[in-house]
Amino acid sequence: MRICVVGCGAVGSLFAANLSLLDDVEVIAYDLFLAHVEAINAHGLRLSGAGEVVGHPHATADASEIGPCDFGIVATKAMHTEAAIAATAGSFAQGSVATVQNGLGNEEVLAGHVGRVIRGTTFPAGKLLEPGHVQWDVKGDTTLGPFEPSPAPLDAVERLADACTRAGLPTSAVADARGPQWRKVIFNAATNPIGALTGLTHGRVCERPDLRTLVSGLVDEGKAVAAAQGIELDSDPEALIDHAAKPEVAYDHKASMLQDIEARRTTEIDFLNGGIVRFGREHGVPTPLNEAIWALVKGVEQSWQQ
Amino acid sequence: MKRVCVAGAGAIGSLFAAHLARVAEVSVLTRRAEHAQALERDGLRVSGRGDFTSCVTAADDPAALPDPDLVILACKGTDLDRLAARLAGHFGRATVMTVQNGLGAEEIVRAHGAWPLLSAVTFMSGTRHSDTHVEYVLDTATWVGPNRGTTGDDAREVAALIESSGLRAVGFDDLRPAQWSKLIFNATVNGVAALTGLPHDFHFAETEHDGDLGLLVRDLVEEGKSTAAATGVELAEDPWEMNVLATGRGNRHFPSMLEDVEAHRPTEVELINGSLVRAARRAGVAVPLHTALYRLVRAKEASYTP
C-alpha cells in the first residue's frame, strides 16, 4: 500500500512517522518546508512525547516524485488545501484521498481535484520542534468516512483505518463521519477565537460566566446548523468544553488560534466560524454570533498589514 | 461666566483650558503636584490647529483654586468617580459639566454634590505631548445640553463661551439625540478596534464580502438604533454614516479603547459599551452583538493580569 501524507506539519508527521513503521505500507511525505524534508531523508522523522518513534518515510517537496498512491492523507492548514491538492492530484488518479484537517469545506476542495474523497477528523496533536522532529502532545482517535458527494468506497476507507490503527493511531471507519467532524468544529469555533480575541486561556474563558454564555451561544448556532443537515453529533460539545476547562486537563491551554495570533500567523477562522456561517446560510440557519466572531478575527489578521 | 476650572488635564482638558484662558480666568485641577507646578511656571502651549501659549492657575487641591462659575470635568470615564469625589464640598456656586464618553457620567457626579449639571459630548481630539503642551488635532464640535438644574439657555451660554475661545461648540435643549449618536458610534468603533487591533479605518466600512468587518459594524449600529428608538431618542446623526464619513479618503484614527488595551490600561468599556447594553436591557431590546462585544472587551481587560 502506498500512502502519501500531503502536508507534513505536526499532525501530518504523526501520521507519516507511525504509518512508515508498517511493513506493508510505503509512506511518502510531501511538504514544501525544505529543511524538514531534508532532515527526514537524512535522519528519519522523529516523534517524542506521547510516543517515541523514529519513522523513515520518503520525504519530498516535488510533487512529481510522489508517483501513484493508493491513499492520500491531507494534513495541511485549511488555507493551503487548494494549492496542495492541485499539485498532487495526479498521484491519486486511482486512489482515495482523506482529509484530517481542521474546519469545514476541506472535502469540497479535495473533490474539486480527485474523485474519491474521505471525510476525516483527528484528535492527535503536536508541534514541530525542529526540522525532522515533532513533539507528540496528545494521543486521540481518528474517524474516517466516505465524503458523500464524491465518496471513496467504504472498503477503501476501512483499509486506510485499519492501517492507521495498526500503526498506533486508533481509527474507525464509519458510513457517516459528519458527527465527529461537526462536534470538533463546533468545539473549536466556540472556544478558539474567544481565547484568541481576549488573550485568555481556555480555563479562564470558561470561568467567566458572561464569556461562558457567549461560548454557549456560539455552540448553539453550530448545533442548529448541524441539525439542519441531519447531522447527529457523537457527543455534546458543551461537555467537552467543560471537561477541557478542568485544571488537570487544559485549563492553562492557549488555543492554537491565540498562538497563531501572537505569532501573527493567518488563522483557520475562515474554515471554522466562517464555515459554520456558510453552511448555515445554505441551510437557512442564522448564525449572527459566528459571523461577528469571524469578522473580528479577520480584522485582527488585517491589523497586521498596517 | 468669568471663571472656569478645568478638572483633569489630559488632551481634552488641556485643549479646553488653554483655549478658554483666552476669554476667561482659567484654573486647572491636576492629579499630580508637579503637573500643576509646570503649568503655573510654563503656561499651557497649543500646537497643531492653534499656536499659542496660555497662562493658567493650577493646583492639585481644589481648596487652593479660586471659586469658579463653571467646572469642566475632563478626565477619562474610568477616573470620573475619583475626581468627582475630590470636588465634594468645593465649588458650591459652580455649574459642573461632564464631557465623558458614553452614558451615565452625570449619575456618577450627582453622588458627590448638589451642583447644577450640564452634559456634554466632545468630538474634538488632541495629542498630549507633555504636561504643558497639547496638539489640537480634530476641530470638531463639543455639544452641550442641560441636565440637573440647568436649561437649554445655560447650555447655549457655555457653548457660546467655548466658541468665543476658538473651539467649536453647540448648545441644545436636549442633548440625548447627539449623545446617543455618539454612544452608538463609540460603542461600535471602540469595541471593534480594541478587539481587532485595527485603527478606525476603511475596514470598518467594507461590506462587499461575507465576513467583512463593515457588515458587523452595520449590524452593531442597527442594534444601537433599535435601542435608541425603544428608549424614545431620535438620533441626531446616523452612526453608520458617521462611520463611513470618518473612514473615507484614507482617514484612520486610533480610538482610545484600542490605545488603552494596547497599553494594558482600564478602558471606558463600562460607560460606553456597558451603558448601551444596560439601556437595551431596560428598553427590552435584544442586543446580542453588543453584549458579545462588551463581554469580550471586559475579558480582554482581565487578560492583563495573568
PDB file of all heavy atoms in Angstrom, chain B residues 136-171:
ATOM      1  N   TYR B 136      -3.611  70.312  18.980  1.00  0.00           N
ATOM      2  CA  TYR B 136      -5.042  70.332  18.625  1.00  0.00           C
ATOM      3  C   TYR B 136      -5.176  69.626  17.279  1.00  0.00           C
ATOM      4  O   TYR B 136      -4.681  70.112  16.267  1.00  0.00           O
ATOM      5  CB  TYR B 136      -5.495  71.794  18.552  1.00  0.00           C
ATOM      6  CG  TYR B 136      -6.979  72.028  18.348  1.00  0.00           C
ATOM      7  CD1 TYR B 136      -7.923  71.010  18.510  1.00  0.00           C
ATOM      8  CD2 TYR B 136      -7.434  73.308  18.014  1.00  0.00           C
ATOM      9  CE1 TYR B 136      -9.272  71.268  18.338  1.00  0.00           C
ATOM     10  CE2 TYR B 136      -8.790  73.571  17.838  1.00  0.00           C
ATOM     11  CZ  TYR B 136      -9.704  72.545  17.996  1.00  0.00           C
ATOM     12  OH  TYR B 136     -11.040  72.800  17.818  1.00  0.00           O
ATOM     13  N   VAL B 137      -5.813  68.439  17.242  1.00  0.00           N
ATOM     14  CA  VAL B 137      -5.854  67.626  16.016  1.00  0.00           C
ATOM     15  C   VAL B 137      -7.174  67.827  15.276  1.00  0.00           C
ATOM     16  O   VAL B 137      -7.205  68.411  14.197  1.00  0.00           O
ATOM     17  CB  VAL B 137      -5.605  66.136  16.330  1.00  0.00           C
ATOM     18  CG1 VAL B 137      -5.653  65.296  15.053  1.00  0.00           C
ATOM     19  CG2 VAL B 137      -4.255  65.950  17.022  1.00  0.00           C
ATOM     20  N   LEU B 138      -8.265  67.313  15.834  1.00  0.00           N
ATOM     21  CA  LEU B 138      -9.564  67.419  15.143  1.00  0.00           C
ATOM     22  C   LEU B 138     -10.354  68.569  15.744  1.00  0.00           C
ATOM     23  O   LEU B 138     -10.584  68.599  16.951  1.00  0.00           O
ATOM     24  CB  LEU B 138     -10.361  66.124  15.303  1.00  0.00           C
ATOM     25  CG  LEU B 138     -10.020  64.960  14.373  1.00  0.00           C
ATOM     26  CD1 LEU B 138     -10.944  63.786  14.665  1.00  0.00           C
ATOM     27  CD2 LEU B 138     -10.124  65.370  12.911  1.00  0.00           C
ATOM     28  N   ASP B 139     -10.813  69.508  14.896  1.00  0.00           N
ATOM     29  CA  ASP B 139     -11.502  70.683  15.422  1.00  0.00           C
ATOM     30  C   ASP B 139     -13.021  70.496  15.381  1.00  0.00           C
ATOM     31  O   ASP B 139     -13.768  71.448  15.181  1.00  0.00           O
ATOM     32  CB  ASP B 139     -11.092  71.943  14.651  1.00  0.00           C
ATOM     33  CG  ASP B 139     -11.524  71.901  13.202  1.00  0.00           C
ATOM     34  OD1 ASP B 139     -11.894  70.802  12.719  1.00  0.00           O
ATOM     35  OD2 ASP B 139     -11.502  72.964  12.543  1.00  0.00           O
ATOM     36  N   THR B 140     -13.475  69.254  15.564  1.00  0.00           N
ATOM     37  CA  THR B 140     -14.919  69.017  15.585  1.00  0.00           C
ATOM     38  C   THR B 140     -15.511  69.500  16.907  1.00  0.00           C
ATOM     39  O   THR B 140     -14.809  69.709  17.878  1.00  0.00           O
ATOM     40  CB  THR B 140     -15.220  67.525  15.341  1.00  0.00           C
ATOM     41  OG1 THR B 140     -14.078  66.770  15.724  1.00  0.00           O
ATOM     42  CG2 THR B 140     -15.494  67.258  13.892  1.00  0.00           C
ATOM     43  N   ALA B 141     -16.845  69.631  16.929  1.00  0.00           N
ATOM     44  CA  ALA B 141     -17.513  70.394  17.980  1.00  0.00           C
ATOM     45  C   ALA B 141     -17.682  69.635  19.287  1.00  0.00           C
ATOM     46  O   ALA B 141     -17.609  68.411  19.337  1.00  0.00           O
ATOM     47  CB  ALA B 141     -18.880  70.845  17.488  1.00  0.00           C
ATOM     48  N   THR B 142     -17.936  70.402  20.327  1.00  0.00           N
ATOM     49  CA  THR B 142     -18.435  69.896  21.605  1.00  0.00           C
ATOM     50  C   THR B 142     -19.914  70.278  21.674  1.00  0.00           C
ATOM     51  O   THR B 142     -20.273  71.413  21.364  1.00  0.00           O
ATOM     52  CB  THR B 142     -17.673  70.553  22.767  1.00  0.00           C
ATOM     53  OG1 THR B 142     -16.298  70.204  22.653  1.00  0.00           O
ATOM     54  CG2 THR B 142     -18.218  70.075  24.112  1.00  0.00           C
ATOM     55  N   TRP B 143     -20.751  69.307  22.041  1.00  0.00           N
ATOM     56  CA  TRP B 143     -22.193  69.562  22.120  1.00  0.00           C
ATOM     57  C   TRP B 143     -22.597  69.594  23.586  1.00  0.00           C
ATOM     58  O   TRP B 143     -22.262  68.684  24.342  1.00  0.00           O
ATOM     59  CB  TRP B 143     -22.974  68.474  21.381  1.00  0.00           C
ATOM     60  CG  TRP B 143     -22.780  68.525  19.898  1.00  0.00           C
ATOM     61  CD1 TRP B 143     -22.254  69.553  19.167  1.00  0.00           C
ATOM     62  CD2 TRP B 143     -23.116  67.494  18.962  1.00  0.00           C
ATOM     63  NE1 TRP B 143     -22.249  69.238  17.826  1.00  0.00           N
ATOM     64  CE2 TRP B 143     -22.776  67.976  17.675  1.00  0.00           C
ATOM     65  CE3 TRP B 143     -23.677  66.236  19.065  1.00  0.00           C
ATOM     66  CZ2 TRP B 143     -22.977  67.228  16.523  1.00  0.00           C
ATOM     67  CZ3 TRP B 143     -23.879  65.488  17.918  1.00  0.00           C
ATOM     68  CH2 TRP B 143     -23.533  65.981  16.659  1.00  0.00           C
ATOM     69  N   VAL B 144     -23.329  70.617  23.954  1.00  0.00           N
ATOM     70  CA  VAL B 144     -23.678  70.834  25.354  1.00  0.00           C
ATOM     71  C   VAL B 144     -25.195  70.819  25.518  1.00  0.00           C
ATOM     72  O   VAL B 144     -25.914  71.386  24.685  1.00  0.00           O
ATOM     73  CB  VAL B 144     -23.125  72.197  25.843  1.00  0.00           C
ATOM     74  CG1 VAL B 144     -23.339  72.336  27.346  1.00  0.00           C
ATOM     75  CG2 VAL B 144     -21.652  72.338  25.490  1.00  0.00           C
ATOM     76  N   GLY B 145     -25.665  70.170  26.560  1.00  0.00           N
ATOM     77  CA  GLY B 145     -27.108  70.145  26.832  1.00  0.00           C
ATOM     78  C   GLY B 145     -27.379  70.218  28.324  1.00  0.00           C
ATOM     79  O   GLY B 145     -26.471  70.030  29.139  1.00  0.00           O
ATOM     80  N   PRO B 146     -28.620  70.510  28.694  1.00  0.00           N
ATOM     81  CA  PRO B 146     -28.958  70.644  30.117  1.00  0.00           C
ATOM     82  C   PRO B 146     -29.043  69.304  30.816  1.00  0.00           C
ATOM     83  O   PRO B 146     -29.296  68.276  30.195  1.00  0.00           O
ATOM     84  CB  PRO B 146     -30.332  71.321  30.094  1.00  0.00           C
ATOM     85  CG  PRO B 146     -30.922  70.931  28.779  1.00  0.00           C
ATOM     86  CD  PRO B 146     -29.781  70.760  27.814  1.00  0.00           C
ATOM     87  N   ASN B 147     -28.799  69.326  32.113  1.00  0.00           N
ATOM     88  CA  ASN B 147     -29.024  68.165  32.962  1.00  0.00           C
ATOM     89  C   ASN B 147     -29.635  68.707  34.244  1.00  0.00           C
ATOM     90  O   ASN B 147     -30.381  69.694  34.196  1.00  0.00           O
ATOM     91  CB  ASN B 147     -27.718  67.392  33.170  1.00  0.00           C
ATOM     92  CG  ASN B 147     -27.958  65.970  33.619  1.00  0.00           C
ATOM     93  OD1 ASN B 147     -28.148  65.708  34.785  1.00  0.00           O
ATOM     94  ND2 ASN B 147     -27.976  65.033  32.678  1.00  0.00           N
ATOM     95  N   ARG B 148     -29.304  68.141  35.379  1.00  0.00           N
ATOM     96  CA  ARG B 148     -29.956  68.552  36.629  1.00  0.00           C
ATOM     97  C   ARG B 148     -29.815  70.065  36.862  1.00  0.00           C
ATOM     98  O   ARG B 148     -28.702  70.592  36.891  1.00  0.00           O
ATOM     99  CB  ARG B 148     -29.319  67.803  37.799  1.00  0.00           C
ATOM    100  CG  ARG B 148     -29.920  68.180  39.148  1.00  0.00           C
ATOM    101  CD  ARG B 148     -29.290  67.399  40.258  1.00  0.00           C
ATOM    102  NE  ARG B 148     -27.873  67.755  40.440  1.00  0.00           N
ATOM    103  CZ  ARG B 148     -27.067  67.149  41.307  1.00  0.00           C
ATOM    104  NH1 ARG B 148     -27.519  66.145  42.033  1.00  0.00           N
ATOM    105  NH2 ARG B 148     -25.810  67.512  41.435  1.00  0.00           N
ATOM    106  N   GLY B 149     -30.931  70.750  37.027  1.00  0.00           N
ATOM    107  CA  GLY B 149     -30.936  72.150  37.441  1.00  0.00           C
ATOM    108  C   GLY B 149     -30.448  73.135  36.395  1.00  0.00           C
ATOM    109  O   GLY B 149     -30.067  74.252  36.739  1.00  0.00           O
ATOM    110  N   THR B 150     -30.402  72.744  35.137  1.00  0.00           N
ATOM    111  CA  THR B 150     -29.967  73.674  34.085  1.00  0.00           C
ATOM    112  C   THR B 150     -30.963  73.644  32.936  1.00  0.00           C
ATOM    113  O   THR B 150     -31.802  72.743  32.851  1.00  0.00           O
ATOM    114  CB  THR B 150     -28.567  73.316  33.537  1.00  0.00           C
ATOM    115  OG1 THR B 150     -28.601  71.957  33.074  1.00  0.00           O
ATOM    116  CG2 THR B 150     -27.490  73.460  34.593  1.00  0.00           C
ATOM    117  N   THR B 151     -30.837  74.629  32.040  1.00  0.00           N
ATOM    118  CA  THR B 151     -31.750  74.727  30.897  1.00  0.00           C
ATOM    119  C   THR B 151     -30.951  74.793  29.603  1.00  0.00           C
ATOM    120  O   THR B 151     -29.717  74.911  29.618  1.00  0.00           O
ATOM    121  CB  THR B 151     -32.579  76.023  30.978  1.00  0.00           C
ATOM    122  OG1 THR B 151     -31.668  77.130  30.860  1.00  0.00           O
ATOM    123  CG2 THR B 151     -33.348  76.110  32.285  1.00  0.00           C
ATOM    124  N   GLY B 152     -31.673  74.760  28.487  1.00  0.00           N
ATOM    125  CA  GLY B 152     -31.038  74.916  27.189  1.00  0.00           C
ATOM    126  C   GLY B 152     -30.292  76.244  27.096  1.00  0.00           C
ATOM    127  O   GLY B 152     -29.244  76.334  26.447  1.00  0.00           O
ATOM    128  N   ASP B 153     -30.809  77.290  27.757  1.00  0.00           N
ATOM    129  CA  ASP B 153     -30.121  78.583  27.724  1.00  0.00           C
ATOM    130  C   ASP B 153     -28.766  78.506  28.415  1.00  0.00           C
ATOM    131  O   ASP B 153     -27.779  79.084  27.945  1.00  0.00           O
ATOM    132  CB  ASP B 153     -30.993  79.657  28.393  1.00  0.00           C
ATOM    133  CG  ASP B 153     -32.164  80.060  27.497  1.00  0.00           C
ATOM    134  OD1 ASP B 153     -32.064  79.833  26.267  1.00  0.00           O
ATOM    135  OD2 ASP B 153     -33.170  80.562  28.029  1.00  0.00           O
ATOM    136  N   ASP B 154     -28.714  77.782  29.535  1.00  0.00           N
ATOM    137  CA  ASP B 154     -27.423  77.592  30.218  1.00  0.00           C
ATOM    138  C   ASP B 154     -26.443  76.867  29.291  1.00  0.00           C
ATOM    139  O   ASP B 154     -25.258  77.205  29.219  1.00  0.00           O
ATOM    140  CB  ASP B 154     -27.609  76.757  31.499  1.00  0.00           C
ATOM    141  CG  ASP B 154     -28.511  77.455  32.511  1.00  0.00           C
ATOM    142  OD1 ASP B 154     -28.439  78.691  32.607  1.00  0.00           O
ATOM    143  OD2 ASP B 154     -29.303  76.753  33.177  1.00  0.00           O
ATOM    144  N   ALA B 155     -26.969  75.849  28.596  1.00  0.00           N
ATOM    145  CA  ALA B 155     -26.115  75.077  27.688  1.00  0.00           C
ATOM    146  C   ALA B 155     -25.594  75.975  26.572  1.00  0.00           C
ATOM    147  O   ALA B 155     -24.409  75.922  26.216  1.00  0.00           O
ATOM    148  CB  ALA B 155     -26.904  73.901  27.103  1.00  0.00           C
ATOM    149  N   ARG B 156     -26.480  76.816  26.028  1.00  0.00           N
ATOM    150  CA  ARG B 156     -26.056  77.697  24.935  1.00  0.00           C
ATOM    151  C   ARG B 156     -25.053  78.750  25.420  1.00  0.00           C
ATOM    152  O   ARG B 156     -24.134  79.115  24.690  1.00  0.00           O
ATOM    153  CB  ARG B 156     -27.281  78.353  24.296  1.00  0.00           C
ATOM    154  CG  ARG B 156     -27.950  77.431  23.267  1.00  0.00           C
ATOM    155  CD  ARG B 156     -29.132  78.083  22.575  1.00  0.00           C
ATOM    156  NE  ARG B 156     -30.289  78.180  23.459  1.00  0.00           N
ATOM    157  CZ  ARG B 156     -31.192  77.197  23.615  1.00  0.00           C
ATOM    158  NH1 ARG B 156     -31.070  76.056  22.931  1.00  0.00           N
ATOM    159  NH2 ARG B 156     -32.198  77.355  24.428  1.00  0.00           N
ATOM    160  N   GLU B 157     -25.212  79.206  26.677  1.00  0.00           N
ATOM    161  CA  GLU B 157     -24.272  80.197  27.212  1.00  0.00           C
ATOM    162  C   GLU B 157     -22.862  79.588  27.287  1.00  0.00           C
ATOM    163  O   GLU B 157     -21.872  80.222  26.903  1.00  0.00           O
ATOM    164  CB  GLU B 157     -24.737  80.660  28.599  1.00  0.00           C
ATOM    165  CG  GLU B 157     -23.919  81.822  29.128  1.00  0.00           C
ATOM    166  CD  GLU B 157     -24.217  82.140  30.594  1.00  0.00           C
ATOM    167  OE1 GLU B 157     -25.228  81.625  31.135  1.00  0.00           O
ATOM    168  OE2 GLU B 157     -23.414  82.887  31.195  1.00  0.00           O
ATOM    169  N   VAL B 158     -22.791  78.358  27.773  1.00  0.00           N
ATOM    170  CA  VAL B 158     -21.478  77.705  27.876  1.00  0.00           C
ATOM    171  C   VAL B 158     -20.925  77.422  26.477  1.00  0.00           C
ATOM    172  O   VAL B 158     -19.732  77.625  26.205  1.00  0.00           O
ATOM    173  CB  VAL B 158     -21.579  76.406  28.705  1.00  0.00           C
ATOM    174  CG1 VAL B 158     -20.313  75.571  28.559  1.00  0.00           C
ATOM    175  CG2 VAL B 158     -21.824  76.747  30.170  1.00  0.00           C
ATOM    176  N   ALA B 159     -21.802  76.989  25.569  1.00  0.00           N
ATOM    177  CA  ALA B 159     -21.347  76.727  24.203  1.00  0.00           C
ATOM    178  C   ALA B 159     -20.794  78.006  23.576  1.00  0.00           C
ATOM    179  O   ALA B 159     -19.761  77.984  22.891  1.00  0.00           O
ATOM    180  CB  ALA B 159     -22.490  76.160  23.365  1.00  0.00           C
ATOM    181  N   ALA B 160     -21.460  79.132  23.833  1.00  0.00           N
ATOM    182  CA  ALA B 160     -21.004  80.410  23.266  1.00  0.00           C
ATOM    183  C   ALA B 160     -19.637  80.786  23.836  1.00  0.00           C
ATOM    184  O   ALA B 160     -18.760  81.285  23.109  1.00  0.00           O
ATOM    185  CB  ALA B 160     -22.027  81.505  23.558  1.00  0.00           C
ATOM    186  N   LEU B 161     -19.457  80.530  25.140  1.00  0.00           N
ATOM    187  CA  LEU B 161     -18.157  80.818  25.751  1.00  0.00           C
ATOM    188  C   LEU B 161     -17.060  79.975  25.088  1.00  0.00           C
ATOM    189  O   LEU B 161     -15.978  80.485  24.752  1.00  0.00           O
ATOM    190  CB  LEU B 161     -18.218  80.514  27.260  1.00  0.00           C
ATOM    191  CG  LEU B 161     -16.923  80.727  28.033  1.00  0.00           C
ATOM    192  CD1 LEU B 161     -16.649  82.227  28.201  1.00  0.00           C
ATOM    193  CD2 LEU B 161     -16.967  80.039  29.401  1.00  0.00           C
ATOM    194  N   ILE B 162     -17.357  78.690  24.880  1.00  0.00           N
ATOM    195  CA  ILE B 162     -16.362  77.795  24.264  1.00  0.00           C
ATOM    196  C   ILE B 162     -16.056  78.267  22.841  1.00  0.00           C
ATOM    197  O   ILE B 162     -14.898  78.333  22.427  1.00  0.00           O
ATOM    198  CB  ILE B 162     -16.878  76.340  24.277  1.00  0.00           C
ATOM    199  CG1 ILE B 162     -17.005  75.830  25.729  1.00  0.00           C
ATOM    200  CG2 ILE B 162     -15.952  75.420  23.482  1.00  0.00           C
ATOM    201  CD1 ILE B 162     -17.693  74.477  25.862  1.00  0.00           C
ATOM    202  N   GLU B 163     -17.116  78.623  22.103  1.00  0.00           N
ATOM    203  CA  GLU B 163     -16.934  79.118  20.727  1.00  0.00           C
ATOM    204  C   GLU B 163     -16.040  80.357  20.710  1.00  0.00           C
ATOM    205  O   GLU B 163     -15.158  80.479  19.857  1.00  0.00           O
ATOM    206  CB  GLU B 163     -18.300  79.469  20.115  1.00  0.00           C
ATOM    207  CG  GLU B 163     -19.060  78.289  19.562  1.00  0.00           C
ATOM    208  CD  GLU B 163     -18.750  78.018  18.098  1.00  0.00           C
ATOM    209  OE1 GLU B 163     -18.393  78.963  17.340  1.00  0.00           O
ATOM    210  OE2 GLU B 163     -18.849  76.844  17.709  1.00  0.00           O
ATOM    211  N   SER B 164     -16.291  81.260  21.661  1.00  0.00           N
ATOM    212  CA  SER B 164     -15.532  82.517  21.658  1.00  0.00           C
ATOM    213  C   SER B 164     -14.056  82.284  21.954  1.00  0.00           C
ATOM    214  O   SER B 164     -13.210  83.120  21.681  1.00  0.00           O
ATOM    215  CB  SER B 164     -16.128  83.492  22.681  1.00  0.00           C
ATOM    216  OG  SER B 164     -15.872  83.011  23.999  1.00  0.00           O
ATOM    217  N   SER B 165     -13.732  81.090  22.517  1.00  0.00           N
ATOM    218  CA  SER B 165     -12.341  80.814  22.859  1.00  0.00           C
ATOM    219  C   SER B 165     -11.571  80.199  21.689  1.00  0.00           C
ATOM    220  O   SER B 165     -10.374  79.962  21.791  1.00  0.00           O
ATOM    221  CB  SER B 165     -12.293  79.845  24.054  1.00  0.00           C
ATOM    222  OG  SER B 165     -12.540  78.514  23.639  1.00  0.00           O
ATOM    223  N   GLY B 166     -12.276  79.911  20.587  1.00  0.00           N
ATOM    224  CA  GLY B 166     -11.592  79.360  19.420  1.00  0.00           C
ATOM    225  C   GLY B 166     -11.850  77.880  19.207  1.00  0.00           C
ATOM    226  O   GLY B 166     -11.365  77.302  18.231  1.00  0.00           O
ATOM    227  N   LEU B 167     -12.589  77.250  20.104  1.00  0.00           N
ATOM    228  CA  LEU B 167     -13.016  75.860  19.881  1.00  0.00           C
ATOM    229  C   LEU B 167     -14.430  75.896  19.314  1.00  0.00           C
ATOM    230  O   LEU B 167     -15.079  76.941  19.316  1.00  0.00           O
ATOM    231  CB  LEU B 167     -13.005  75.076  21.204  1.00  0.00           C
ATOM    232  CG  LEU B 167     -11.653  74.909  21.868  1.00  0.00           C
ATOM    233  CD1 LEU B 167     -11.821  74.312  23.268  1.00  0.00           C
ATOM    234  CD2 LEU B 167     -10.741  74.021  21.017  1.00  0.00           C
ATOM    235  N   ARG B 168     -14.904  74.751  18.859  1.00  0.00           N
ATOM    236  CA  ARG B 168     -16.255  74.729  18.304  1.00  0.00           C
ATOM    237  C   ARG B 168     -17.217  74.075  19.291  1.00  0.00           C
ATOM    238  O   ARG B 168     -16.882  73.084  19.927  1.00  0.00           O
ATOM    239  CB  ARG B 168     -16.249  74.006  16.961  1.00  0.00           C
ATOM    240  CG  ARG B 168     -15.409  74.776  15.942  1.00  0.00           C
ATOM    241  CD  ARG B 168     -15.302  74.066  14.628  1.00  0.00           C
ATOM    242  NE  ARG B 168     -16.626  73.735  14.116  1.00  0.00           N
ATOM    243  CZ  ARG B 168     -16.846  72.787  13.208  1.00  0.00           C
ATOM    244  NH1 ARG B 168     -15.847  72.067  12.753  1.00  0.00           N
ATOM    245  NH2 ARG B 168     -18.060  72.561  12.778  1.00  0.00           N
ATOM    246  N   ALA B 169     -18.407  74.624  19.420  1.00  0.00           N
ATOM    247  CA  ALA B 169     -19.390  74.092  20.366  1.00  0.00           C
ATOM    248  C   ALA B 169     -20.794  74.497  19.940  1.00  0.00           C
ATOM    249  O   ALA B 169     -20.996  75.523  19.305  1.00  0.00           O
ATOM    250  CB  ALA B 169     -19.109  74.604  21.775  1.00  0.00           C
ATOM    251  N   VAL B 170     -21.773  73.655  20.295  1.00  0.00           N
ATOM    252  CA  VAL B 170     -23.183  73.934  20.027  1.00  0.00           C
ATOM    253  C   VAL B 170     -23.973  73.587  21.288  1.00  0.00           C
ATOM    254  O   VAL B 170     -23.703  72.574  21.931  1.00  0.00           O
ATOM    255  CB  VAL B 170     -23.716  73.077  18.851  1.00  0.00           C
ATOM    256  CG1 VAL B 170     -25.127  73.526  18.465  1.00  0.00           C
ATOM    257  CG2 VAL B 170     -22.780  73.134  17.652  1.00  0.00           C
ATOM    258  N   GLY B 171     -24.944  74.436  21.627  1.00  0.00           N
ATOM    259  CA  GLY B 171     -25.816  74.162  22.774  1.00  0.00           C
ATOM    260  C   GLY B 171     -27.158  73.647  22.309  1.00  0.00           C
ATOM    261  O   GLY B 171     -27.679  74.080  21.281  1.00  0.00           O
TER     262      GLY B 171
END
